[in-house]
Amino acid sequence: MTDRVVPAAARQRRRPTKQGVVLSEELIVATALRLIEEHGAEALSVRRLGRALGADPSSLYRYFRHTDDLMLAIADELIGRNLRVWRTTGDWVADLRELGLRMHAGALAHPRAAMLSAHRVTGRVHEIQAVESMLGVLRGAGFPDPEAVRIYHAFVDQALAFGALDSACTALPRSAREAEAQVWRSTYGRLPAGTHPHIAATAPHLVATMRSSSYPAALDLLLAAARTRLDHLRAGIVE
Amino acid sequence: MTDRVVPAAARQRRRPTKQGVVLSEELIVATALRLIEEHGAEALSVRRLGRALGADPSSLYRYFRHTDDLMLAIADELIGRNLRVWRTTGDWVADLRELGLRMHAGALAHPRAAMLSAHRVTGRVHEIQAVESMLGVLRGAGFPDPEAVRIYHAFVDQALAFGALDSACTALPRSAREAEAQVWRSTYGRLPAGTHPHIAATAPHLVATMRSSSYPAALDLLLAAARTRLDHLRAGIVE
DNA sequence: ACCTTACGACAACACCGTTGACCTGTTAAG
DNA sequence: CTTAACAGGTCAACGGTGTTGTCGTAAGGT
């Protein structure tokens, strides 16, 4: 097939579908997101999406080269939604904390999409804006460039990775979730101190802590380490 | 179909396949792992696995209810392998660093299994041993119980989350991976300083850093923060 | 030596992504 | 206003996937 996709920008001949729908990149992405949220990630296929749109599946290939392209478009849309409401305050730790929690919450709000897109680089507008903003915060705080990039990378991957992990948990069927809670209560909560002293000693804390996400704790540890590192740099310690 | 799978334990009638192979759960898991290692994660399908085993694809459903069951069996096997070789040395930071890297490497060695099992609690022997060991390291270092549990939780979830995230990247088709590298080089490497000053300033670092996993960096940040916290606790600072 | 039945084989089903060929309504030029 | 080009929707097909209902047969206990 010769290049079937038109450069995205200049589309003029918008012919309606047999069922009367006028397709567009945005409509396709929005419908895909709706499908994912309503019926799960595995419900997203070119054919189902076509059906939901009221169009032939092959029509979508006029807008996206393959399904992967569509995934990237979906991912970028999510990034954009998360970033749109974020503003910097001048306190870099607070800003990054806020952004991390927002990304994590955004992932949990669209679990299936988050699981699909967490590991992709889109190279699209929203993502670029996000990268620029985060690097700006870190460089503004005083991190030298290599350090800023290193911390940016760890920060963003941590947010995405925990977002995907916790999303996967919420996507488990109800019975499986209850079974896991039960494992913590019955199995770990009742191990004898003789064979498993450390688990036995911390059992109440374990049962209480393991049911919720560890992302806030992990995020705070990362930011604390970054702050310490910046203090050392400022004090002229070369390490 | 009524339950086609026999309770796993008591199988007696081991009839050889048309091609002369005697199937078993272990043989299937081992062959699946070999397939994944040799031809990539996407080469694992029930049909291909059947072909590799010299058996009809449908025969595998006598041993696993669905492909997910097979994946979990593979994951269980991997957990065991990772833990078996880990020994504590007395230096808690080095021990946790070693374990984190080992878990991450284990995940990358078998991406599909890692992605499926990262967010599940098994409550089986190997997992329990791992929890006991990690808590032991942290409590032995001097962390009070709530703190030890908090850090354990962040540590293990971070290892699993990054393992799954990076596994997902390696599971991408070759073309998609190259496309991502290209995005960093062409898109991010060429943004004008006028509109994107921070990206432009750090472009070489970005291109160099983003191609590899940020897990080692994130792990070191987490451990650094934990060590700082411990110093504060030892100094009697109550925060 | 027989009977039972576990379990491998087969064929079929309903999906999937992707493509080449076709057809038609929109649009811009004359 | 007419008309010709072509963007873009449609159709049919290919080769893949996971999964299941049915059947035959050989292995094992007796």
Side-chain angles (χ1 to χ4, degrees):
Chain A
M1 154 165 346
T2 56
D3 26 302
R4 168 167 272 172
V5 175
V6 159
R11 284 179 174 265
Q12 60 258 32
R13 309 212 177 164
R14 351 228 64 229
R15 165 156 46 154
T17 272
K18 251 194 175 173
Q19 302 185 33
V21 187
V22 176
L23 294 181
S24 69
E25 198 172 307
E26 299 102 50
L27 179 62
I28 295 175
V29 169
T31 307
L33 266 176
R34 189 168 55 72
L35 262 189
I36 290 177
E37 291 317 319
E38 286 177 7
H39 303 99
E42 71 283 359
L44 186 62
S45 72
V46 177
R47 298 175 114 97
R48 270 212 255 253
L49 183 51
R51 220 179 301 139
L53 280 162
D56 190 90
S58 66
S59 300
L60 306 185
Y61 287 87
R62 302 273 184 208
Y63 295 83
F64 302 96
R65 261 193 296 277
H66 12 259
T67 12
D68 215 58
D69 270 19
L70 174 60
M71 294 299 182
L72 293 183
I74 293 173
D76 198 62
E77 171 64 19
L78 283 184
I79 294 173
R81 289 189 190 179
N82 285 337
L83 198 69
R84 204 164 294 141
V85 279
W86 178 66
R87 292 287 175 273
T88 60
T89 67
D91 176 350
W92 67 272
V93 173
D95 285 345
L96 287 183
R97 186 162 200 281
E98 167 71 14
L99 181 59
L101 292 176
R102 195 178 289 283
M103 288 173 68
H104 187 251
L108 287 184
H110 297 265
R112 332 272 193 165
M115 293 168 62
L116 284 175
S117 62
H119 52 97
R120 305 310 310 274
V121 176
T122 72
R124 286 159 167 262
V125 278
H126 292 133
E127 188 189 62
I128 293 177
Q129 274 179 6
V131 176
E132 175 71 12
S133 301
M134 288 186 246
L135 283 174
V137 168
L138 287 169
R139 293 179 81 226
F143 286 101
D145 290 351
E147 206 84 8
V149 168
R150 215 171 54 93
I151 292 177
Y152 154 73
H153 193 189
F155 171 82
V156 74
D157 277 9
Q158 190 191 51
L160 293 172
F162 274 84
L165 185 80
D166 293 333
S167 291
C169 288
T170 73
L172 283 177
R174 223 170 155 281
S175 57
R177 281 246 286 302
E178 278 163 10
E180 304 222 332
Q182 195 59 32
V183 165
W184 283 109
R185 237 175 295 128
S186 312
T187 306
Y188 284 92
R190 291 185 193 159
L191 286 171
T195 56
H196 300 83
H198 301 299
I199 292 177
T202 56
H205 295 118
L206 272 179
V207 173
T209 303
M210 299 308 287
R211 78 174 79 246
S212 59
S213 169
S214 60
Y215 178 63
L219 172 62
D220 284 338
L221 287 171
L222 188 145
L223 291 176
R227 182 161 44 190
T228 304
R229 181 94 184 98
L230 184 59
D231 289 345
H232 286 192
L233 287 168
R234 276 190 179 140
I237 298 171
V238 191
E239 169 153 333
Chain B
M1 159 167 340
T2 56
D3 26 305
R4 167 167 273 170
V5 176
V6 157
R11 283 181 176 265
Q12 59 258 32
R13 308 212 177 165
R14 352 230 60 227
R15 163 154 50 153
T17 272
K18 250 195 178 174
Q19 302 183 33
V21 187
V22 176
L23 294 180
S24 71
E25 196 173 309
E26 299 102 50
L27 179 62
I28 295 175
V29 169
T31 307
L33 275 175
R34 188 169 56 73
L35 261 189
I36 290 178
E37 272 161 16
E38 285 177 8
H39 304 98
E42 74 282 0
L44 187 63
S45 72
V46 176
R47 299 174 115 96
R48 270 211 255 253
L49 183 51
R51 222 179 298 141
L53 280 162
D56 190 90
S58 66
S59 300
L60 305 185
Y61 287 87
R62 301 274 183 208
Y63 295 83
F64 302 97
R65 262 191 294 277
H66 8 259
T67 13
D68 249 37
D69 269 18
L70 172 60
M71 294 302 180
L72 286 182
I74 294 173
D76 275 350
E77 171 64 20
L78 288 183
I79 292 174
R81 287 189 194 178
N82 282 336
L83 283 174
R84 208 162 293 140
V85 280
W86 180 66
R87 292 287 175 274
T88 59
T89 67
D91 177 352
W92 68 273
V93 173
D95 286 345
L96 288 183
R97 188 161 198 281
E98 167 72 13
L99 182 59
L101 292 176
R102 194 179 291 283
M103 289 173 67
H104 187 251
L108 285 186
H110 300 273
R112 282 270 278 266
M115 292 167 63
L116 278 172
S117 61
H119 53 95
R120 305 212 176 160
V121 178
T122 72
R124 293 165 106 255
V125 275
H126 292 312
E127 190 189 61
I128 292 176
Q129 274 179 3
V131 176
E132 175 71 11
S133 301
M134 289 186 246
L135 283 175
V137 168
L138 288 168
R139 294 178 81 225
F143 286 100
D145 290 350
E147 206 84 8
V149 168
R150 215 171 54 93
I151 292 177
Y152 154 73
H153 192 191
F155 171 83
V156 74
D157 276 9
Q158 180 164 283
L160 293 171
F162 273 82
L165 185 79
D166 293 332
S167 290
C169 288
T170 74
L172 286 176
R174 225 171 151 280
S175 58
R177 282 246 286 301
E178 277 163 11
E180 303 221 332
Q182 195 59 33
V183 165
W184 283 109
R185 237 175 293 126
S186 311
T187 306
Y188 284 93
R190 293 187 192 156
L191 286 172
T195 57
H196 301 82
H198 301 298
I199 292 177
T202 57
H205 295 117
L206 273 179
V207 173
T209 303
M210 298 309 286
R211 78 173 79 245
S212 60
S213 169
S214 61
Y215 179 63
L219 173 61
D220 284 339
L221 286 171
L222 187 144
L223 291 175
R227 181 159 46 189
T228 303
R229 181 94 185 98
L230 185 59
D231 289 345
H232 285 193
L233 287 169
R234 275 188 180 142
I237 298 172
V238 192
E239 168 153 334

